[in-house]
Amino acid sequence: MKGLWNYSEAIPLIIRSALTLRALPDLHQDCSWLPVDKLASVVLELAESCSAPDRDVGQNRAPSPSEVAYVDDSIYKVYNPRAFPLSELLATLKRSEFQFQTLPFVDWLQLLRESEARGEENVSTRQSN
């Protein structure tokens, strides 16, 4: 499956900045991304189960359709339990021959500021089509 990133979010912006800066920050952060198709399946399953009629109407009698109550006050948290450190993603990018150096965040941020001051068009700030 091929995925698409929202290029206005932080991690995609940071990674795209390497095209201009040739550097990425060493962020100590875990990622727990969900493939959109799996998330969509979960949402559909939850929607279906939440729209099922409440069968607990009356004592031992089959409710008529007009008596069926649709009640759901459930709260769900959907997440990927298999988190991975962002450093693993950076290692994978390097193995894929994506050229960059890994810097402490403050050093990377300084590079970004210097690039902006020179008027370079950073890929990280350009809108994608």
Side-chain angles (χ1 to χ4, degrees), residues 13 15 39 48-50 64 71 83 95 112 114 125 127:
L13 282 171
I15 291 173
L39 179 60
E48 185 176 310
S49 71
C50 292
S64 70
V71 177
R95 282 192 305 274
L112 188 63
E114 290 168 2
T125 58
Q127 290 289 346

Side-chain angles (χ1 to χ4, degrees), residues 37-89:
D37 59 333
K38 293 199 186 294
L39 179 60
S41 293
V42 169
V43 169
L44 290 174
E45 284 182 36
L46 288 173
E48 185 176 310
S49 71
C50 292
S51 66
D54 183 357
R55 300 279 182 208
D56 191 21
V57 177
Q59 182 125 7
N60 296 326
R61 67 182 179 102
S64 70
S66 63
E67 294 176 315
V68 174
Y70 290 88
V71 177
D72 185 19
D73 58 355
S74 301
I75 297 172
Y76 298 93
K77 179 179 180 180
V78 180
Y79 67 97
N80 184 348
R82 290 184 244 157
F84 62 92
L86 187 61
S87 60
E88 283 184 19
L89 175 61

